[in-house]
Amino acid sequence: MRSSCVLLTALVALAAYYVYIPLPGSVSDPWKLMLLDATFRGAQQVSNLIHYLGLSHHLLALNFIIVSFGKKSAWSSAQVKVTDTDFDGVEVRVFEGPPKPEEPLKRSVVYIHGGGWALASAKIRYYDELCTAMAEELNAVIVSIELVPKVYFPEQIHDVVRATKYFLKPEVLQKYMVDPGRICISGDSAGGNLAAALGQQFTQDASLKNKLKLQALIYPVLQALDFNTPSYQQNVNTPILPRYVMVKYWVDYFKGNYDFVQAMIVNNHTSLDVEEAAAVRARLNWTSLLPASFTKNYKPVVQTTGNARIVQELPQLLDARSAPLIADQAVLQLLPKTYILTCEHDVLRDDGIMYAKRLESAGVEVTLDHFEDGFHGCMIFTSWPTNFSVGIRTRNSYIKWLDQNL
């Protein structure tokens, strides 16, 4: 009996050691976040083992775990009709909100889910619940685009552009009773990256009769040239997106070499001797783009000499389609009214804030919605057992802005 108690105590202590990580006091529901992070870390470690054994790519294995535990069928309710279909060969889940007698045509949001360009799905519960809520509360048609795993830059962008162009066809908009003048493009995290890239491409496409009215970006990832912005330094190990994991997502997205990861973490890929990066440095100079309340006492990390081979092998790093933050001013000034949601405890916080500043400088009307207790990914965590106070507040704030502006 005594040995059983000792064993149980040891197991509890081991579990507590694995779950506990130091978190800032201001973060929402810290113990719940620790448990969520421990679950995700555990799934990542299983996936890495599968990768190491040569059984599958770690992202495919991790995505299998995520989708297996969270996939939801296209169930309609009395208020929202949900259907799975495809737009020009790209899978989408369409949510049709209740009609308003006084408004025969509905507004619409094209939504792109997050997950490091390789994880999650439009069909998992978290995104299904978000889009259902949007459709019902906005009386809108929500088109949630399914991203295909193990697809690399720029194929993801091609899929998003193709599906959105199909939706914007007059006959398709008519089928779904959508007002062509009230369409927004939106997404979170890597989905926010794709939404921003799509927005920039559409402003330059003369063939499009229906332009987007709004763009709404939720903690978007917008550049891979400086992994030492104040938010990257401050949140280097903060769940659920530590800096090391974000850099690996970028390398996977570009089908690059994992040997580059450590060099990129210390900005060796954009050192002063890398001539290719010189032209865009000013566009992500956070010392001029961020308010003092965010720069605090952090110092820029600029290497004198680095590894020019990284940019030479991964020229995608300098492509505005992967890094919308570095786009030309002439492109930015054509963008529609913009909403950007950022979270204090998120490595990507400064990407969003810098983009808001660049857009404002280009004459674009921007709403920057910052949450001091927010963490990366929080907006989709609104239902038990992963219901966070800040998740509910960010979702409500986002939908409220759409309601007032779309």
Side-chain angles (χ1 to χ4, degrees):
M1 180 71 178
R2 187 174 180 179
S3 60
S4 298
C5 289
V6 171
L7 179 60
L8 180 60
T9 303
L11 289 173
V12 169
L14 186 63
Y17 178 78
Y18 186 78
V19 169
Y20 179 79
I21 52 172
L23 290 174
S26 59
V27 73
S28 177
D29 304 296
W31 279 101
K32 195 176 288 186
L33 181 56
M34 287 182 210
L35 287 168
L36 177 65
D37 179 65
T39 302
F40 192 55
R41 271 189 288 125
Q44 286 177 309
Q45 286 159 359
V46 170
S47 304
N48 290 335
L49 176 61
I50 291 171
H51 187 110
Y52 176 77
L53 295 173
L55 301 175
S56 177
H57 190 279
H58 71 99
L59 287 178
L60 288 177
L62 182 56
N63 194 54
F64 177 80
I65 295 170
I66 292 170
V67 173
S68 295
F69 281 94
K71 193 168 184 179
K72 184 178 179 182
S73 299
W75 292 339
S76 299
S77 68
Q79 294 297 312
V80 179
K81 179 183 177 183
V82 183
T83 53
D84 287 335
T85 183
D86 74 271
F87 286 175
D88 196 12
V90 179
E91 288 185 42
V92 297
R93 176 164 285 187
V94 181
F95 303 77
E96 299 176 65
K100 284 184 176 180
E102 68 276 18
E103 291 183 13
L105 294 180
K106 299 176 186 177
R107 46 195 173 175
S108 182
V109 179
V110 176
Y111 195 89
I112 310 167
H113 69 79
W117 302 282
L119 302 174
S121 165
K123 299 174 183 178
I124 64 170
R125 178 172 63 91
Y126 295 114
Y127 287 110
D128 185 275
E129 289 178 354
L130 170 64
C131 293
T132 297
M134 290 166 64
E136 184 169 354
E137 294 180 37
L138 297 171
N139 304 98
V141 174
I142 312 300
V143 176
S144 187
I145 299 178
E146 178 77 330
L147 300 180
V148 180
K150 206 175 180 182
V151 172
Y152 307 101
F153 176 87
E155 281 82 5
Q156 296 277 31
I157 296 172
H158 294 332
D159 283 352
V160 169
V161 169
R162 195 163 75 249
T164 307
K165 279 189 172 182
Y166 179 89
F167 180 60
L168 292 178
K169 288 182 176 181
E171 62 270 24
V172 179
L173 293 177
Q174 185 176 16
K175 173 185 174 182
Y176 290 102
M177 300 297 290
V178 168
D179 184 340
R182 303 177 72 189
I183 299 170
C184 171
I185 181 70
S186 184
D188 64 299
S189 192
N193 169 279
L194 294 169
L198 183 147
Q200 291 182 6
Q201 285 200 37
F202 274 31
T203 61
Q204 303 168 76
D205 192 333
S207 69
L208 286 173
K209 292 181 180 179
N210 298 318
K211 296 291 185 179
L212 301 169
K213 182 179 182 182
L214 306 171
Q215 65 172 349
L217 313 176
I218 313 302
Y219 29 78
V221 50
L222 298 170
Q223 58 86 26
L225 299 171
D226 186 355
F227 292 112
N228 289 274
T229 62
S231 61
Y232 266 110
Q233 294 187 52
Q234 173 184 301
N235 300 299
V236 60
N237 291 313
T238 301
I240 53 177
L241 187 65
R243 176 172 62 179
Y244 176 76
V245 172
M246 186 64 245
V247 177
K248 280 191 70 178
Y249 282 147
W250 274 112
V251 172
D252 275 311
Y253 185 41
F254 294 150
K255 207 175 182 180
N257 189 330
Y258 288 141
D259 292 344
F260 292 158
V261 170
Q262 291 300 330
M264 291 169 68
I265 283 174
V266 295
N267 287 351
N268 275 350
H269 60 311
T270 50
S271 54
L272 295 178
D273 62 334
V274 178
E275 295 179 6
E276 295 91 336
V280 299
R281 285 196 189 98
R283 297 176 187 175
L284 41 84
N285 178 10
W286 57 260
T287 61
S288 63
L289 290 171
L290 294 177
S293 58
F294 292 110
T295 59
K296 299 173 185 173
N297 294 318
Y298 293 105
K299 304 297 181 186
V301 175
V302 182
Q303 308 293 354
T304 304
T305 57
N307 187 348
R309 179 179 153 224
I310 297 175
V311 169
Q312 290 164 5
E313 291 194 20
L314 301 176
Q316 309 96 307
L317 286 161
L318 301 174
D319 191 323
R321 292 177 300 169
S322 76
L325 180 59
I326 66 172
D328 292 340
Q329 189 86 339
V331 173
L332 299 185
Q333 66 187 15
L334 299 173
L335 287 166
K337 184 187 290 191
T338 299
Y339 172 90
I340 299 176
L341 188 151
T342 56
C343 293
E344 180 65 22
H345 307 292
D346 180 8
V347 292
L348 302 179
R349 180 198 70 194
D350 295 343
D351 282 22
I353 296 170
M354 287 192 287
Y355 198 46
K357 180 66 173 178
R358 287 209 66 209
L359 289 173
E360 286 176 346
S361 299
V364 176
E365 185 179 341
V366 180
T367 297
L368 179 62
D369 200 5
H370 182 68
F371 287 80
E372 290 289 343
D373 60 340
F375 57 91
H376 188 77
C378 63
M379 195 180 80
I380 63 171
F381 298 120
T382 58
S383 60
W384 191 89
T386 53
N387 51 321
F388 288 80
S389 165
V390 73
I392 294 166
R393 284 183 281 112
T394 49
R395 190 183 77 173
N396 289 345
S397 187
Y398 165 63
I399 294 177
K400 181 180 179 181
W401 185 87
L402 289 172
D403 191 33
Q404 293 173 344
N405 292 277
L406 186 56

